[in-house]
Amino acid sequence: MKHCVALCLAVAAMSFGGTASAAPVPPQVSPGADVYSGYAAVAPSFRTVSAHWKQTAVTCPPSDLDGLAGGVANTVMTGSSVVRVPGLLAVPDGLAGTLFVPHVAQWVGLVGMNGPTDRSLVQTGTATLCSDGVPHYTAFFETPSFANQSGEPHPDADAPGVSWENPPTKPGDDMAATVSWDGAATYRLTVADTTRGWHYGATYHSGVIPTAALTVGESIPYNVPGFTPMTFTHVTADGKPFAAYHPRRLAITPPGLVPTPLTSDSFTVPSP
C-alpha cells in the first residue's frame, strides 16, 4: 500500500454476497457493513456510479490517544475492521491506521468478485484523517480486495501524486465523483472539487465485473470523529437515480449513523 496512509485500508470494510457471473439472480448485499452509512445497489452488472456532495467538516478528538482508545474498543467490541477490511493480511502495517486513526470518508464505488471468495472494490472520493486533533482533508482513489493490494490505479499525468493528497479540499466544497467500467477490463475514476476548480482521474485495469454500486459515508465503529451532516445528491448508477434500484440502506454501528431515506437520487448521513 503506497498511498492514502490509513484511510485506504479503512475504506473497504465490506460485506457482500454473490458472484460476478451472469447468474439469473443478482448478488445481494448482506447485513453487517457497519462502517458505511449510505446505499448499495445490486444488479447483474453496472457501468457507472456517480454522486455529488458537500465536503463534511470534521472535528477531531484532541489527542491521538483518543484514537488509540477508540481503535482498541473497536477491536474488542466488534472486530469488524480486522475481519472485513480488504488487504490487511497483505499489508499488515495498515492495521494500525485502520483501527487507530479517526477518519471520515465520502465516496462512490463499484464492487465485483475476483474469484469465488475475493471481493474487489474500485472507489474514489474525499476523506478526512485526524492527527493530533487536527483534521486533514484530501481526495483519494483505491482498489482494495480481500486478497491483496496489487493492481493499483494509475493517476492521470496532471494529478498531484499517487494519492491526490495535495488538492486544497475544504469543508463545504462541492464535490463530484464517478467510477465507470468499460464493460471489458478498464475502470475509470474521477473526482472534482467544483468550488475550487480542480479535477483528477485515474485508470485501473481489471477483468472483475462490478455487480454492486455504492455511495456512502464511512468511518470506524467506536472511533468516529465529529462531523457535519453529509448530503449526497445526483446519486446515479448507469444514468438512473439510485432509488430505481431499490438499494439497501447501510448504517455505521455504533454509533448508529443511519442515512435519511433515499429520495430519488439524494440522501443525508446525519452527524454523530
Side-chain angles (χ1 to χ4, degrees), residues 40-176:
V42 295
S45 68
F46 284 104
R47 288 298 189 96
T48 184
V49 60
S50 298
H52 294 229
W53 62 84
K54 291 281 189 181
Q55 175 61 45
T56 189
V58 174
T59 303
C60 293
S63 169
D64 287 346
L65 292 177
D66 296 295
L68 175 63
V72 171
N74 179 65
T75 303
V76 173
M77 301 301 292
T78 72
S80 62
S81 295
V82 177
V83 173
R84 287 199 295 274
V85 175
L88 281 185
L89 295 179
V91 189
D93 59 355
L95 178 62
T98 300
L99 295 179
F100 304 132
V101 177
H103 73 273
V104 173
Q106 297 164 269
W107 53 265
V108 298
L110 293 175
V111 184
M113 296 298 294
N114 186 24
T117 60
D118 182 27
R119 292 184 287 276
S120 178
L121 168 62
V122 180
Q123 61 188 136
T124 190
T126 58
T128 310
L129 285 76
C130 293
S131 178
D132 293 326
V134 178
H136 297 272
Y137 299 92
T138 186
F140 76 95
F141 57 83
E142 181 60 44
T143 56
S145 77
F146 269 76
N148 58 61
Q149 296 287 342
S150 65
E152 294 173 354
H154 296 286
D156 291 354
D158 63 345
V162 295
S163 65
W164 298 343
E165 71 275 19
N166 298 324
T169 303
K170 301 296 182 183
D173 285 3
D174 292 313
M175 307 301 304

Side-chain angles (χ1 to χ4, degrees), residues 40 70 188 192 196 202 217 237 240-241 257:
R188 180 71 182 157
R196 301 182 187 277
K240 298 178 182 179
L257 298 178

Side-chain angles (χ1 to χ4, degrees), residues 223-234:
N223 216 4
V224 181
F227 60 83
T228 56
M230 305 177 188
T231 297
F232 293 87
T233 61
H234 306 290

Side-chain angles (χ1 to χ4, degrees), residues 15-16 28-33 36-42 213-216 242-243 245-251 259 262 267:
S15 190
F16 289 92
Q28 298 297 310
V29 179
S30 64
Y36 298 154
S37 183
Y39 288 88
V42 295
L214 284 84
T215 299
V216 299
F242 226 46
Y245 297 94
H246 306 287
R248 184 183 185 91
R249 183 159 63 175
L250 307 174
L262 183 63
F267 67 91

